[in-house]
Amino acid sequence: MSVSRRSFFSGLSASLGGMVGAAEAATPELRAPAGGPRWGMVVDTARCIGCQACTVSCIMENAVPEDSFRTIVSTYEVREGDRAAMVMLPRLCNHCEEPPCIPVCPVGATYQRADGIVVVNADACVGCAYCVQACPYDARFINHETQKADKCTFCAHRVDAGLLPGCVESCVGGARIFGDLNDPGSTVSRLLAQNESKVLKPEMETGPRVFYLGLDDAFLGKVEAEPTLWHPSHGQEAQS
C-alpha cells in the first residue's frame, strides 16, 4: 500500500515531536538558584609542562574510548629566527555562557545545568553530531562505543560529590585551577581579578568559562605552529 508524501512527513513530524517531548521531560531544571555556584576553570600556561597527566586521568575517570579525548594538551614548537620555544595549550569544553551546541540539538539532549556545566543527556541523544559541528573549540565528538555525543563535563559527578575534576586533581604543575566564579573569594575569582586573562576564539562571543593566563594571542584561534612531541589519534594535527 502506497503512502503519500504528505502523510509520511506528517507522521515523521509527530515522531520527532514525541522525541523532543521525551527529551524535555528528561532534562533537569535549568534555572540557577539565587546565589548558586557558577563553575569555571583558569589555566596557567606557565605552569603546564605538557605531561598529559590530565589527559590520562580524564580517560580513566570517564571511560573515554580509544582515540577520543575530552581534554588534551596540544604541544607546539614555535620558531622566531634562530630561537625556538615550546608552547603548551590545554584544551577542553569551555562551558560557555552562550553555548552554540545547545540550540542546534534537535532533541534537547545537550543542555546547561544551573551551575553552568554543559552536559549531554545520553538517553535523549540521537548521535546526529549537530553539536559536534557547532562547537567552535573542537571539544565534542561522537563516542564510537555509545554512538552518543561526548565531551568534558568538568567531571560533574565529582563536582557534585565535592571533589575536583580529575584533570585538576592530577595536574602535576598545578596549571588547572577550578572553582566558583560567583564567589569573589575563590581562587579562580582572585586569579582573574589579579591577572590579565584570555579566552579561546573571543570573536565567537560564546562567553567561555575556561580562562587562560599567559597565553599569546597567536594561540587564541587556529594555531599557526608545528605540533610536536605527542599527537592525538595517529599523528593528526590538533587545531584549536
Side-chain angles (χ1 to χ4, degrees), residues 51-120:
C51 66
Q52 304 294 343
C54 55
T55 304
V56 175
S57 65
C58 175
I59 291 172
M60 300 301 293
E61 179 70 34
N62 298 289
V64 181
E66 185 177 0
D67 279 343
S68 296
F69 304 90
R70 289 188 173 192
T71 188
I72 196 170
V73 179
S74 297
T75 61
Y76 299 94
E77 180 180 297
V78 181
R79 292 184 177 275
E80 184 176 353
D82 295 333
R83 300 176 58 192
M86 298 298 302
V87 175
M88 313 300 174
L89 180 60
R91 297 167 52 213
L92 65 160
C93 173
N94 284 257
H95 298 278
C96 309
E97 282 295 297
E98 301 292 338
C101 53
I102 291 179
V104 300
C105 181
V107 295
T110 288
Y111 65 95
Q112 191 162 35
R113 301 190 342 167
D115 55 14
I117 298 178
V118 177
V119 292
V120 178

Side-chain angles (χ1 to χ4, degrees), residues 1-231:
M1 180 176 65
S2 63
V3 180
S4 70
R5 179 177 298 182
R6 183 187 297 269
S7 62
F8 172 78
F9 281 107
S10 176
L12 179 61
S13 176
S15 298
L16 288 175
M19 292 171 63
V20 173
E24 290 176 346
T27 300
E29 174 61 44
L30 305 185
R31 295 294 180 184
R38 203 317 179 183
W39 301 116
M41 185 179 293
V42 173
V43 178
D44 188 345
T45 59
R47 290 177 172 268
C48 179
I49 61 174
C51 66
Q52 304 294 343
C54 55
T55 304
V56 175
S57 65
C58 175
I59 291 172
M60 300 301 293
E61 179 70 34
N62 298 289
V64 181
E66 185 177 0
D67 279 343
S68 296
F69 304 90
R70 289 188 173 192
T71 188
I72 196 170
V73 179
S74 297
T75 61
Y76 299 94
E77 180 180 297
V78 181
R79 292 184 177 275
E80 184 176 353
D82 295 333
R83 300 176 58 192
M86 298 298 302
V87 175
M88 313 300 174
L89 180 60
R91 297 167 52 213
L92 65 160
C93 173
N94 284 257
H95 298 278
C96 309
E97 282 295 297
E98 301 292 338
C101 53
I102 291 179
V104 300
C105 181
V107 295
T110 288
Y111 65 95
Q112 191 162 35
R113 301 190 342 167
D115 55 14
I117 298 178
V118 177
V119 292
V120 178
N121 179 352
D123 291 334
C125 178
V126 296
C128 67
Y130 287 172
C131 61
V132 176
Q133 299 294 327
C135 176
Y137 306 104
D138 193 26
R140 285 173 168 260
F141 61 95
I142 296 298
N143 187 311
H144 59 75
E145 293 180 353
T146 65
Q147 299 304 310
K148 308 287 187 177
D150 205 335
K151 61 179 286 297
C152 157
T153 64
F154 275 161
C155 284
H157 60 290
R158 291 177 59 90
V159 174
D160 291 345
L163 303 173
L164 292 172
C167 63
V168 176
E169 191 170 86
S170 64
C171 182
V172 175
R176 298 187 182 215
I177 304 95
F178 180 82
D180 182 7
L181 295 169
N182 284 344
D183 177 6
S186 68
T187 302
V188 287
S189 293
R190 288 189 283 107
L191 282 171
L192 292 175
Q194 298 168 6
N195 299 274
E196 179 187 1
S197 64
K198 298 176 182 178
V199 296
L200 299 182
K201 298 188 176 180
E203 72 279 2
M204 300 301 296
E205 298 182 348
T206 61
R209 287 304 176 259
V210 174
F211 302 89
Y212 292 82
L213 304 182
L215 187 63
D216 189 278
D217 288 346
F219 291 85
L220 298 183
K222 183 176 180 180
V223 177
E224 299 296 337
E226 182 180 351
T228 184
L229 287 183
W230 182 81
H231 307 278

